[in-house]
Amino acid sequence: MATDSNSNNHSDATSEPVESVDLRRYSLNGVVTRNPSLWTRPLQWTESNHLRALCVERQTGVATGGIITVNTLIPSLDPCTLGCLISTVRDRDASSLAKVMAWNDLLVFDGHAQGRTIRLAHGVPSIETSINNSTGPGVNTAAVPVPFSAYQTRIMKLRVGRGGAYQLPRLSSWRVGPSSVLCLLDSFHISGVVRSHRPLRSYEPCIAAVLIALAQTAEGTDRHLPLQTTHLLFINRNDENHVHVYTAYISRALLRRFQLPNCLPPRFPRTAPLAVMQHRRVMYHPLDTFRSRILTAVSMGTTTMNPDDYFGG
């Protein structure tokens, strides 16, 4: 659109870009001071306010891939058992405990087998017999498959400063190996009702808080990495066709803002996001490949095995 010189001068004088109040320009306490509506628990976080202030960029439809970090060992299941367990996972009216127990049976050998598997996994260099190897791309197939531990309930807190902490929704987690953890969040623990009509995006600010808290927990193990990668499986009670997988790449700068809430960012602020949160959907069907697909989405390879064949009596 053509304009005269006077209108251009007027535009230059009155259309100064509005400075966003976010963690690229202010400390955490500085952001909250300038926008007191941000002072809420993570369950009440919103995309427009909190994720923007935290400089979290959302990406969707990201292709599954990446480096497989651990090769997991899961029990082989007959089609009937597999179908029944996945049916429970999909059922929007099933209790949260029933869903977690179904996930546990999909991933974990029974208690007796599990204990022996762990000892063998640390005691032999490789397993070459009675294995249906379905590892994903990038897996070192010579590595010993590691079984999942039985699930644990995990109460996470988002830490702020030296003593501050916000309690987050309850997670279920399965440990595999010395440092890998698979975490699951049911939308029931955010909304408080089984059948909530909230759209998926309304849950994501709280999901982002969980991903940041997971990065805070793991920070001490990978201090040399510029980004902390965390994964989360999310069950949306409104979606009986997919499991939602969230992967976050959390910068050290963002973790530092929470660790030192009065610390100012560098004088010349970065323009890149402080965190990237990727979202992908994984379909339940086909059922026979569901477990390998969902684990590949969180950078885990899979090896299925019949416990009787594995132990050989």
Side-chain angles (χ1 to χ4, degrees):
M1 182 188 304
T3 57
D4 59 32
S5 58
N6 289 334
S7 63
N8 274 336
N9 291 336
H10 178 73
S11 175
D12 290 342
T14 61
S15 300
E16 294 289 337
V18 177
E19 185 184 62
S20 60
V21 179
D22 59 42
L23 291 183
R24 282 186 292 234
R25 293 171 174 82
Y26 299 97
S27 67
L28 181 63
N29 284 342
V31 168
V32 174
T33 299
R34 287 166 174 81
N35 187 354
S37 66
L38 297 173
W39 195 262
T40 58
R41 298 178 183 275
L43 287 174
Q44 283 77 48
W45 280 14
T46 64
E47 182 177 18
S48 60
N49 287 332
H50 292 83
L51 294 194
R52 184 178 301 170
L54 293 172
C55 304
V56 175
E57 177 183 300
R58 182 185 187 273
Q59 298 177 353
T60 188
V62 181
T64 300
I67 298 175
I68 301 299
T69 58
V70 63
N71 188 15
T72 67
L73 184 67
I74 58 177
S76 58
L77 300 171
D78 63 81
C80 181
T81 301
L82 184 65
C84 289
L85 292 174
I86 294 179
S87 178
T88 301
V89 169
R90 297 176 60 185
D91 184 1
R92 69 167 60 187
D93 294 321
S95 69
S96 184
L97 178 60
K99 286 178 175 289
V100 170
M101 293 304 298
W103 275 99
N104 198 71
D105 290 341
L106 287 169
L107 299 173
V108 181
F109 289 89
D110 64 54
H112 174 69
Q114 178 195 347
R116 293 185 60 190
T117 304
I118 291 173
R119 289 196 293 273
L120 287 173
H122 287 283
V124 297
S126 64
I127 302 171
E128 300 177 351
T129 60
S130 302
I131 295 179
N132 172 23
N133 196 331
S134 57
T135 54
V139 174
N140 178 6
T141 55
V144 177
V146 183
F148 284 94
S149 64
Y151 87 94
Q152 293 182 327
T153 298
R154 193 169 184 180
I155 305 298
M156 298 293 300
K157 291 186 177 181
L158 182 65
R159 302 193 304 273
V160 180
R162 292 185 176 180
Y166 287 100
Q167 187 164 316
L168 297 170
R170 185 175 67 194
L171 303 180
S172 299
S173 66
W174 291 263
R175 183 168 293 279
V176 53
S179 59
S180 298
V181 180
L182 180 67
C183 292
L184 174 72
L185 174 60
D186 186 344
S187 64
F188 170 78
H189 294 302
I190 299 179
S191 63
V193 295
V194 171
R195 293 197 180 195
S196 172
H197 297 289
R198 292 174 54 174
L200 176 67
R201 294 286 287 267
S202 71
Y203 292 111
E204 290 184 347
C206 187
I207 290 171
V210 172
L211 289 165
I212 294 170
L214 288 171
Q216 289 178 330
T217 301
E219 186 180 11
T221 61
D222 296 313
R223 291 189 179 276
H224 63 288
L225 299 177
L227 296 174
Q228 190 72 51
T229 304
T230 55
H231 302 282
L232 182 68
L233 303 184
F234 180 67
I235 299 175
N236 183 6
R237 294 292 183 119
N238 287 332
D239 187 352
E240 295 183 286
N241 297 315
H242 306 88
V243 175
H244 298 264
V245 180
Y246 287 89
T247 299
Y249 300 95
I250 312 294
S251 68
R252 293 292 172 192
L254 180 58
L255 295 176
R256 183 174 174 81
R257 299 292 190 279
F258 281 91
Q259 183 182 15
L260 301 171
N262 288 316
C263 181
L264 294 173
R267 182 177 179 182
F268 300 101
R270 54 189 292 171
T271 57
L274 296 180
V276 172
M277 183 173 68
Q278 296 179 343
H279 167 247
R280 64 175 67 96
R281 292 177 171 87
V282 176
M283 294 187 65
Y284 289 106
H285 287 280
L287 301 184
D288 60 333
T289 62
F290 169 68
R291 292 182 296 171
S292 63
R293 287 184 288 110
I294 198 72
L295 291 174
T296 298
V298 293
S299 300
M300 294 182 178
T302 55
T303 296
T304 58
M305 183 181 301
N306 186 309
D308 294 334
D309 293 338
Y310 179 65
F311 296 119

